Amino acid sequence: MLDIKFIRENKDLVAEAARKKRIDFKVADLLALDEERVKLLTEVETDRARQNKMSDEIATGGPDREAKIAEMRILKDELQVKETKLKDLIKSWQALMVQVPNIPDASVPEGNDDSENLEIKTAGERPQFAFIPKTHIELMQNLKMVDFERGTKVAGFRGYFLKNEGLQLSFALWQYAFDLLREDGFIPALVPSLVRPDAFFGTGYLPQGEEDLYKTQDGDYLAGTAEVATMGYFMDEVFPLEHLPLKYASFSPCFRREAGSHGKDTRGLIRLHEFYKVEQVVICEGNHSASVQAHEALLANAEKLMQNLKIPYRVVVNCTGDLGLGQVKKYDIEAWVPAENKYRETHSISYFHDFQTRRLNLKYRDAEGKTRLAHSLNGTMVASPRILVPLLENYQQADGTVIIPEVLRPYLGGKEVIR
């Protein structure tokens, strides 16, 4: 959420942000409603002050006491009507406020969707096979690492069972991700997936993203990322400056309905309703340079994991049309998938300035003791089982076996090959 004062003073900038992000939002509608809200609020506050003054005068008595009581009744009725109208007006105003898009950074390329994201880096050597590479589905089924048929029988569409080395590799990847992040000062945390609506509103997943969330009969939601619970962990708190940055490596099961993805990646482990993530979440000082520095650091952590796994990848900066409502800038890491002969997304790394922290009322005290809104960032460290797709396909051998990346072998008892 942006500050209404900022919106008033920068209405053209906000309108341009909506255009760039391809979001249907008219800032003029918000400002007209805001003007009406401010006017009515002033009237209500004036009438309340007058009511208080008259109450004091009535209490002191006097010859015109009965006339004042009659006038007070009229004022009370008028005030009640205005207060009801103001309450409804504020609800409408708040509904528009949560639709205001954050301003994309000047370095973000303009575009309509992910097809117009800008490649800024490639890393690693793509394997050269003397055979036609198998898909991860073929590899995993042949090696008894997954069961999609029974997964669908038990869990429905996009259901799966990971077995044997499929599960062991997942555990190894999570543990390795935590080990890398601990070296960088991150606090490991297991966070809830079942989260109250406040944290979803605070992080920007509600109201716009509700169609992609699973909702319980009690009105809570299942999160699609550990970011939601981790940010909610800090809401309504004020931290001393010396405690920043707060750096959490948060793990949770994740759930997404994949609304709007009909017909996309209907087989395999790319697009699932239930998966697991180690997520980097950072709360930093509320200035642009601190956010940019932290954003690059989150990208470097994710790249380090990919480089150490020796999985070829590229980094893209997401275009304006591929940014969410609150994101200022986002990088995606896309891993090379040999059987598809293309890169597929494995990581997303974003920063938000104070968009989330304003909603969550998350602040810190600066060096002068003043309270300020912090900035927030998040980024994938490892999402599984999706990461198994490029890992297995890039490490496959002609005989159908798969080499285990060297850095993961200690987590699998020294095993080198999956047969």
Side-chain angles (χ1 to χ4, degrees):
M1 182 183 293
L2 299 183
D3 182 11
I4 185 60
K5 184 173 182 290
F6 175 87
I7 298 169
R8 292 182 195 131
E9 295 173 354
N10 299 274
K11 60 182 180 180
D12 292 339
L13 187 62
V14 174
E16 181 67 356
R19 185 194 69 78
K20 285 183 175 180
K21 288 191 171 185
R22 306 327 191 230
I23 292 172
D24 184 17
F25 176 79
K26 293 180 176 59
V27 68
D29 292 346
L30 170 63
L31 293 178
L33 193 63
D34 179 61
E35 186 177 349
E36 188 179 352
R37 176 188 68 90
V38 171
K39 180 182 177 183
L40 186 57
L41 179 60
T42 301
E43 291 180 15
V44 167
E45 289 174 344
T46 300
D47 287 353
R48 284 172 179 166
R50 185 179 164 206
Q51 187 181 49
N52 291 335
K53 183 181 178 183
M54 290 182 67
S55 294
D56 293 340
E57 291 174 352
I58 290 169
T60 60
D64 56 350
R65 184 173 182 272
E66 292 303 320
K68 287 182 178 179
I69 290 174
E71 185 181 350
M72 180 76 153
R73 290 196 188 103
I74 295 171
L75 177 61
K76 183 179 179 181
D77 291 342
E78 290 176 349
L79 181 57
Q80 190 172 28
V81 171
K82 288 181 180 179
E83 285 177 332
T84 300
K85 184 179 178 182
L86 179 62
K87 186 177 180 181
D88 293 339
L89 201 60
I90 288 174
K91 283 183 180 179
S92 300
W93 178 80
Q94 289 172 333
L96 286 180
M97 281 292 289
V98 296
Q99 296 177 42
V100 180
N102 207 350
I103 313 300
D105 190 75
S107 63
V108 174
E110 185 169 345
N112 292 313
D113 53 40
D114 59 3
S115 66
E116 297 182 65
N117 291 344
L118 179 65
E119 180 184 291
I120 58 173
K121 178 181 181 180
T122 60
E125 294 185 13
R126 301 181 195 174
Q128 301 299 316
F129 297 113
F131 56 92
I132 298 175
K134 292 182 174 65
T135 67
H136 74 281
I137 299 172
E138 295 174 280
L139 290 166
M140 295 185 77
Q141 288 179 330
N142 291 342
L143 295 168
K144 300 189 184 337
M145 297 170 67
V146 73
D147 193 325
F148 291 112
E149 184 177 342
R150 290 185 176 92
T152 301
K153 178 177 71 174
V154 172
F157 182 50
R158 302 191 193 279
Y160 64 97
F161 280 84
L162 282 187
K163 304 190 301 179
N164 302 315
E165 287 88 350
L167 175 62
Q168 292 171 337
L169 274 175
S170 294
F171 274 105
L173 285 159
W174 302 334
Q175 291 176 59
Y176 183 57
F178 275 119
D179 286 346
L180 288 179
L181 291 177
R182 269 195 296 265
E183 292 174 5
D184 194 33
F186 280 74
I187 296 170
L190 174 64
V191 306
S193 297
L194 182 62
V195 182
R196 297 171 66 182
D198 290 357
F200 284 93
F201 277 104
T203 48
Y205 289 96
L206 286 176
Q208 286 83 0
E210 184 167 15
E211 68 172 2
D212 206 30
L213 298 174
Y214 287 103
K215 187 175 183 179
T216 73
Q217 62 267 42
D218 299 318
D220 299 325
Y221 295 86
L222 294 173
T225 169
E227 162 205 351
V228 178
T230 308
M231 290 297 298
Y233 183 70
F234 297 112
M235 64 181 170
D236 297 321
E237 296 191 25
V238 180
F239 295 91
L241 178 61
E242 58 269 23
H243 285 192
L244 302 183
L246 297 164
K247 299 174 13 174
Y248 273 68
S250 297
F251 176 82
S252 75
C254 302
F255 301 86
R256 292 183 186 171
R257 293 185 59 232
E258 291 294 346
S261 64
H262 179 74
K264 296 179 182 177
D265 301 308
T266 56
R267 301 182 67 242
L269 299 177
I270 289 287
R271 198 180 299 272
L272 301 168
H273 292 311
E274 181 177 1
F275 53 99
Y276 303 84
K277 283 173 71 180
V278 178
E279 185 80 4
Q280 306 175 81
V281 179
V282 172
I283 310 296
C284 73
E285 191 176 346
N287 65 69
H288 179 68
S289 60
S291 278
V292 170
Q293 184 178 359
H295 192 220
E296 297 298 324
L298 294 186
L299 175 63
N301 287 339
E303 282 196 76
K304 184 176 181 180
L305 180 132
M306 296 295 279
Q307 290 163 3
N308 292 354
L309 289 173
K310 296 187 168 128
I311 296 175
Y313 68 91
R314 70 173 184 170
V315 179
V316 301
V317 58
N318 296 63
C319 72
T320 53
D322 197 31
L323 289 181
L325 185 76
Q327 292 162 334
V328 177
K329 186 175 182 178
K330 179 168 74 167
Y331 292 125
D332 279 352
I333 294 179
E334 300 176 349
W336 179 248
V337 178
E340 296 185 47
N341 197 39
K342 66 179 181 181
Y343 290 100
R344 299 300 303 265
E345 178 203 326
T346 53
H347 299 72
S348 289
I349 297 119
S350 307
Y351 71 92
F352 299 81
H353 283 163
D354 60 9
F355 186 90
Q356 294 181 325
T357 56
R358 185 180 303 279
R359 292 178 174 216
L360 291 165
N361 192 32
L362 200 170
K363 300 178 180 179
Y364 69 99
R365 293 193 187 279
D366 66 13
E368 298 173 353
K370 296 179 180 178
T371 57
R372 299 188 182 278
L373 289 167
H375 282 188
S376 66
L377 309 93
N378 63 70
T380 315
M381 188 61 176
V382 65
S384 62
R386 177 180 288 207
I387 191 66
L388 297 180
V389 175
L391 189 156
L392 295 169
E393 290 195 18
N394 281 284
Y395 275 94
Q396 65 180 294
Q397 305 298 299
D399 62 357
T401 61
V402 175
I403 303 295
I404 296 172
E406 189 173 348
V407 293
L408 297 183
R409 293 173 190 172
Y411 303 95
L412 287 97
K415 179 179 283 192
E416 297 180 2
V417 183
I418 302 172
R419 303 185 185 280

